[in-house]
Each structure stands twice: as C-alpha cells, then as structure tokens.
C-alpha cells in the first residue's frame, strides 16, 4: 500500500549495524530513483521513506500495513505541513511522528538529531538533570542513555511508562495476582520503617497512587531542571520508594490531584511484594509478548527496582501498539489482553484539570472539537515530548516522540498535535 512500499527493505533490530546501514542506503537509492521518475508528475503523498532526516524503523507489515492516506480518509497536505514544520525546528527536537487510522499506517516519519552534540556540554555539567552518576542512565543529557537506549533504536518513554504500568496492574488484578485498588498502601510496609504516619497516610490506597491523589507533600509542578522540584530531590536519594513514602501528608488521600512520580515507584514496589514477581517480568509475559513486543529496555532505580515511573524504552511502532490496544478496548487480534472495564476506568477522568484535560488511572484525557462536535482524546505524557494519543471517535492513533527536556523551548503539545492532525481528516 501507499505511494511506494519498500517495507521489504525495512531494518529489523536483530540485524547488525553494517547491515542496517547497507539496507538504509538501498532504501534511499530506490526512493531517489522512484521520485526521479515521478518528478514533475505529482506531489508525493505518503512519505514513509526516502526523505530528509528519516531514520528507517523496524517494519512489521503484518501488524501495521502501510496505506495511502487518502484511502484512510486523510488529506496529505496537512500531514506534510507538520513534517515540514518539524524539519524547520518549529517544535524543537522531534524524533518521530506516526499516524495510524483504521489499523493502517497513514504517515510515518523519523528525524535524526545529534544529541551528543546538542546536549553534550550539559551532559558533562553537574545539575538537576544529572542524577547519581554523570555517566549513568539518570543523566538525561547523556546520549548513550537518552533519548535512545545505548544509542540504539529504543526511545525513552519517560512518564508514558506510568500509563503502561497501569495496564499491567489492570491485567494482574483481573488475573487475581494483585489486590483490589482499595487496599491500604501501608499494609505492604513495616510501619516502623515509614516516617510521618498519621490517619491520612493510613487511609492512602492503591487507587490514590493510580490517580495521583496520594495526598503526600510533593511539588513536581516546576521544571525538572529546577533543583527545588521534589522529583529531582528524590532522584538523589538511595531509596526512592521510601523517600516518597516518608513525605508528610499535605491533604486527605483521594481528594486532590497532585502529580507525583514517586507514587508510581511505590506502586512498583508493592507489585513486587504482592505478586512476588518483578513487574518487568510480568509485563513481558502478559502484555509485551501478546503484542509482539520483543525488543525493549527497562532501566532500574539505584536499589534495583524496575523504574515504574519513567524507565521504559520502546520503538515508536511498539508504543503505537499500546495505544492501539486501548483504542480497541483492550483487544488484540481478537484476544483480550487488558480487561475492557480496566481500559474504561483508566481513560475515565478521576480528576478534571481544566482546559478540557483530565486524569484517570495514569492516562490523561483531552477534550477537542471536530466538525462542530465535542470529543475526547486519551494519551500518555512523557518528559521530553512522548505522546501516544488515542482518538476513539476517529479510529486513530497518533504517536510523537521527542527530546525537548529544557524549559522555555519549542514544544509540540498534545493539544496542538491533535489540532494539526485533525486538519487532515476528510471523512
């Protein structure tokens, strides 16, 4: 499908770097030949390969067939306009843009940046985003770790990890491996090891961790480059779970939304204690393998716990599988992977946040308008610009990845992504 389909030359992660480079050159040459034939005849429609700054991605044509955008009710020009603006730097450092409609790829672009050059000086400079060790995986400027894992094809998901962890928890509850969300958090810990225990902390439940309403004193609303951000303080502690759990209570649990990455780390520790299984192992068996996700990375906290608040690295297409799974109400190829009632509860806002935004079980929601009607989009949000976006009413998934990690710089917000892609919808 599409104007030209060179998927048979696509690069799989199992191939060597030399083979990858050879195949990329072949694909580029073929695309140049193709456009030389077409030049002057028509404007290219589905630019899936062979254009400036494109990095060839792994292709699974059995999962994601490539189609002409017009065959999916999309107009080419608005998508090409987004691509041009990304190339021109309007949105800072964008690494990929993928649009899937009716189960087929309508548009897919990858953008290559020299992050060693872009953030090299910052990587060598101690600061709020250089945690634990300048050479380690929590130096967000270190191009060996971010945004691509060890310089490969897997992209940091950052806080989209939280949304994926939510799906794993839902699976575990449905299978009877994990307790009810109404279970008190402190029931999993020795009270003698936790500070600032009071009636409010005793009342904190797993549901409160899921909905960012734990009630703990926490300020993550300022830029992560600010040393006063509670997350940046936590990241310098040896035990991130107990640092978070030891915070005094600022409000009654379940009453106020307050974004707290540490709450997701507590959830990861509880998952291990409740199931006896590392959440990465559980996710691989019950979520990744059924979706055909066989290449990923998951970094660890200083004490070795799977980092459930930002640790995952996935390809753009595999991130799209997670979003598409939720678009399909938890179904994948006719098999239920995530219970439908959990999908509904995850996407249903537990808290309204203003400007049409909301937050459920570690998934965000965003109101939008199309054709004079009001609709709701659902999405994950990850530091740097990771945005898997679900538009159920349009049978569409949009995935954007990027690495815009400094404040007051260009950024492609979910709201603008939706608005711009909607301009391409023709039916």
């Amino acid at each position: 499908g599409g104007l030209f389909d060179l998927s048979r030359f696509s690069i799989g992660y199992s191939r060597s770097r030399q083979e990858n480079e050879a195949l990329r050159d072949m694909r580029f040459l073929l695309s140049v030949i193709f456009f030389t034939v077409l030049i002057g005849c028509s404007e290219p429609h589905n630019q899936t390969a062979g254009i400036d700054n494109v990095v060839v991605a792994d292709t699974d044509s059995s999962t994601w067939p490539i189609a002409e955008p017009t065959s999916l009710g999309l107009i080419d020009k608005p998508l090409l306009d987004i691509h041009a603006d990304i190339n021109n730097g309007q949105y800072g450092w964008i690494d990929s843009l993928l649009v899937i409609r009716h189960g087929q790829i309508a548009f897919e672009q990858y953008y290559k940046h020299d992050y060693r050059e872009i953030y090299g000086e910052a990587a060598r400079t101690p600061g709020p985003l250089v945690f634990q060790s300048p050479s380690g995986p929590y130096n967000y400027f270190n191009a060996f770790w971010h945004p691509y894992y060890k310089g490969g094809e897997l992209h940091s998901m950052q806080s989209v990890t939280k949304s994926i962890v939510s799906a794993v928890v839902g699976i575990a509850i449905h299978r009877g491996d994990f307790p009810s969300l109404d279970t008190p958090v402190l029931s999993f810990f020795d009270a003698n090891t936790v500070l600032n225990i009071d009636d409010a902390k005793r009342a904190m439940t797993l549901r409160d961790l899921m909905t960012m309403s734990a009630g703990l004193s926490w300020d993550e609303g300022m830029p992560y480059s600010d040393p006063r951000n509670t997350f940046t303080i936590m990241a310098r502690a040896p035990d991130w779970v107990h640092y978070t759990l030891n915070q005094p209570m600022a409000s009654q649990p379940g009453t106020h939304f307050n974004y707290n990455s540490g709450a997701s780390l507590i959830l990861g520790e509880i998952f291990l204690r409740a199931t006896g299984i590392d959440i990465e192992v559980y996710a691989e068996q019950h979520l990744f393998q059924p979706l055909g996700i066989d290449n990923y990375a998951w970094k660890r906290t200083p004490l070795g716990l799977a980092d459930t608040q930002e640790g995952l690295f996935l390809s753009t297409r595999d991130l799209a599988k997670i979003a598409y799974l939720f678009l399909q109400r938890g179904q994948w190829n006719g098999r239920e992977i995530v219970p439908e009632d959990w999908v509904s509860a995850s996407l249903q806002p537990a808290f309204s946040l203003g400007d049409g935004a909301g937050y459920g079980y570690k998934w965000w929601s965003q109101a939008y308008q199309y054709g004079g009607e009001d609709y709701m989009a659902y999405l994950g949000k990850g530091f740097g610009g990771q945005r898997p976006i679900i538009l159920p009413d349009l049978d569409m998934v949009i995935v954007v990845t990027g690495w815009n990690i400094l404040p007051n710089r260009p950024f492609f917000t979910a709201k603008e992504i939706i608005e711009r892609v909607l301009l391409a919808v023709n039916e």
Side-chain angles (χ1 to χ4, degrees):
L3 186 60
F4 58 97
D5 184 1
L6 303 177
S7 60
R8 55 184 168 164
F9 298 112
S10 296
I11 295 171
Y13 296 135
S14 61
R15 298 190 177 106
S16 69
R17 181 177 297 275
Q18 290 78 13
E19 290 173 316
N20 286 352
E21 291 174 352
L23 287 172
R24 183 166 58 245
D25 292 344
M26 181 186 299
R27 185 168 177 163
F28 176 76
L29 178 61
L30 288 171
S31 63
V32 169
I33 294 171
F34 184 89
F35 280 114
T36 301
V37 173
L38 283 190
I39 192 164
C41 300
S42 63
E43 195 175 44
H45 297 290
N46 185 12
Q47 297 194 1
T48 306
I51 59 174
D52 294 341
N53 296 332
V54 173
V55 178
V56 179
D58 184 36
T59 298
D60 179 3
S61 58
S62 64
T63 302
W64 300 123
I66 299 171
E68 187 78 38
T70 52
S71 72
L72 302 176
L74 298 173
I75 305 169
D76 299 6
K77 188 177 185 304
L79 300 175
L80 293 172
D81 288 345
I82 299 172
H83 165 68
D85 289 340
I86 290 173
N87 263 335
N88 293 333
Q90 180 170 324
Y91 299 112
W93 309 115
I94 299 298
D95 296 318
S96 67
L97 169 63
L98 174 61
V99 179
I100 294 172
R101 195 171 195 210
H102 305 324
Q104 301 179 73
I105 291 177
F107 199 81
E108 183 177 30
Q109 302 289 355
Y110 295 83
Y111 308 88
K112 188 174 183 179
H113 308 295
D114 187 350
Y115 285 114
R116 283 179 173 80
E117 175 66 24
I118 293 168
Y119 293 124
E121 184 62 31
R124 296 185 290 270
T125 305
L129 288 176
V130 181
F131 300 127
Q132 303 294 330
S133 167
S135 64
Y138 290 96
N139 177 350
Y140 295 87
F141 300 111
N142 186 339
F144 186 71
W145 299 103
H146 295 96
Y148 292 100
Y149 182 73
K150 297 184 178 180
E153 293 90 350
L154 301 179
H155 199 284
S156 177
M157 296 292 98
Q158 293 302 119
S159 287
V160 174
T161 302
K162 298 178 175 73
S163 305
I164 297 170
V165 164
S166 171
V168 178
V169 169
I171 294 169
I173 291 175
H174 181 70
R175 292 176 56 86
D177 297 331
F178 195 78
S180 160
L181 291 187
D182 296 320
T183 307
V185 169
L186 290 184
S187 66
F188 298 95
F189 296 91
D190 180 352
N192 294 322
T193 67
V194 180
L195 304 179
N196 296 308
I197 292 181
D198 55 15
D199 288 344
K201 188 171 286 190
R202 291 188 188 95
M204 186 197 312
T205 66
L206 299 179
R207 189 182 309 277
D208 302 325
L209 299 180
M210 292 294 300
T211 59
M212 292 295 182
S213 60
L216 294 162
S217 178
W218 197 270
D219 188 356
E220 203 171 333
M222 59 188 70
Y224 289 102
S225 57
D226 191 320
R228 297 169 298 172
N229 187 307
T230 310
F231 171 85
T232 68
I233 300 170
M234 177 205 73
R236 286 179 167 76
D239 187 337
W240 295 357
V241 171
H242 271 83
Y243 175 86
T244 306
L245 197 56
N246 286 341
Q247 297 304 303
M249 300 298 289
S251 63
Q252 189 67 21
T255 60
H256 297 91
F257 175 88
N258 183 34
Y259 194 83
N260 179 341
S261 289
S264 295
L265 291 165
I266 296 173
L267 190 65
E269 175 74 24
I270 290 173
F271 192 95
L272 178 60
R273 295 185 180 211
T275 65
I277 303 172
D278 186 284
I279 196 169
E280 177 181 343
V281 175
Y282 199 96
E284 180 171 351
Q285 180 179 356
H286 297 291
L287 180 62
F288 296 160
Q289 287 183 359
L291 297 183
I293 298 174
D294 54 11
N295 191 28
Y296 71 93
W298 202 325
K299 64 185 179 182
R300 300 271 160 168
T301 71
L303 290 185
L305 183 72
D307 184 348
T308 46
Q309 51 94 28
E310 62 163 26
L312 264 174
F313 293 78
L314 295 172
S315 71
T316 296
R317 287 193 176 194
D318 282 347
L319 176 57
K321 289 180 180 180
I322 302 292
Y324 196 76
L325 176 67
F326 272 66
L327 177 69
Q328 296 294 308
R329 314 299 298 174
Q331 298 281 325
W332 188 263
N333 291 333
R335 174 187 172 189
E336 182 180 81
I337 307 300
V338 180
E340 183 174 359
D341 59 353
W342 183 266
V343 172
S344 298
S346 298
L347 302 183
Q348 178 66 34
F351 291 94
S352 296
L353 308 178
D355 195 27
Y359 195 81
Y361 291 169
K362 302 196 181 299
W363 285 87
W364 302 81
S365 56
Q366 178 63 57
Y368 70 94
Q369 283 196 330
Y370 174 71
E373 300 291 334
D374 294 326
Y375 297 99
M376 194 68 73
Y378 306 98
L379 59 140
K381 289 185 181 181
F383 178 54
Q386 323 325 313
R387 298 291 186 272
I389 302 170
I390 307 163
L391 305 177
D393 296 286
L394 298 177
D395 194 21
M396 183 185 293
V397 163
I398 308 166
V399 174
V400 175
T401 63
W403 203 236
N404 295 298
I405 60 175
L406 292 174
N408 305 315
R409 304 290 176 90
F411 197 86
F412 207 1
T413 66
K415 192 171 183 179
E416 187 170 0
I417 293 168
I418 294 168
E419 289 172 351
R420 293 206 59 176
V421 172
L422 285 178
L423 295 175
V425 178
N426 193 33
E427 61 181 45

